[in-house]
């Protein structure tokens, strides 16, 4: 079940990337690096009445993720045709996988400079 702690954890992940801002978009926390890369729907959205995350994804990732676990991953309305992925937060939330999905989403929209800063911070921390 998605909780306030889930929301805060996902916010922390998104805001860890360089130059990310959080804004309300369509009434929900959304994260931007030049362009939007993720939205957190804690109360559901349209026909999805459960907590979920929608985020940008590299080409082909949507199909792979949905095929791997259609109970968790789905094609979200409005942005699914652009390859975005939906991740249910009310069933088996795997935060390691979600963190990777969010990093991929960030890389889809971030500038080369932002990506280089992220890579440098990761190399310096490990």
């Amino acid at each position: 079940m998605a909780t306030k702690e889930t929301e805060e954890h996902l916010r922390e992940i998104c805001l860890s990337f360089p130059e990310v801002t959080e804004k309300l978009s369509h009434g929900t926390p959304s994260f931007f690096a030049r362009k939007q890369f993720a939205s957190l729907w804690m109360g559901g959205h349209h026909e999805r009445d459960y907590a979920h995350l929608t985020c940008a994804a590299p080409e082909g990732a949507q199909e792979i993720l949905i095929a791997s676990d259609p109970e968790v991953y789905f094609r979200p309305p409005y942005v699914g045709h652009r390859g975005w992925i939906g991740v249910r937060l009310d069933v088996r939330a795997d935060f390691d996988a979600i963190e990777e999905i969010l990093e991929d989403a960030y890389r889809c929209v971030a500038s080369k400079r932002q990506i280089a800063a992220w890579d440098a911070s990761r190399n310096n921390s490990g």
Side-chain angles (χ1 to χ4, degrees):
M1 172 173 233
T3 63
K4 191 70 172 163
E5 290 80 22
T6 300
E7 180 178 353
E8 289 305 317
H9 185 67
L10 294 172
R11 176 176 282 114
E12 183 179 307
I13 293 168
C14 290
L15 294 176
S16 72
F17 303 120
E19 300 178 44
V20 168
T21 58
E22 178 181 349
K23 302 175 194 170
L24 282 181
S25 178
H26 298 88
T28 197
S30 299
F31 301 91
F32 296 78
R34 293 184 332 132
K35 296 193 275 182
Q36 185 174 355
F37 70 93
S39 289
L40 183 55
W41 300 93
M42 294 307 288
H45 184 239
H46 290 283
E47 77 275 8
R48 309 283 180 183
D49 63 351
Y50 43 79
H52 61 278
L53 173 72
T54 58
C55 52
E59 188 174 330
Q62 181 191 78
E63 295 80 8
I64 292 167
L65 287 168
I66 292 170
S68 74
D69 195 345
E71 197 173 299
V72 174
Y73 303 108
F74 62 94
R75 184 175 193 248
Y78 304 109
V79 292
H81 71 279
R82 294 191 332 220
W84 280 45
I85 189 70
V87 183
R88 290 185 70 150
L89 300 174
D90 64 332
V91 293
R92 301 188 322 275
D94 176 347
F95 286 105
D96 290 335
I98 291 171
E99 189 166 356
E100 288 178 25
I101 289 167
L102 285 168
E103 181 175 347
D104 287 346
Y106 173 79
R107 289 177 179 278
C108 285
V109 304
S111 69
K112 289 179 183 179
R113 180 184 52 75
Q114 290 169 315
I115 292 169
W118 172 245
D119 290 342
S121 74
R122 305 268 295 173
N123 290 335
N124 291 335
S125 69

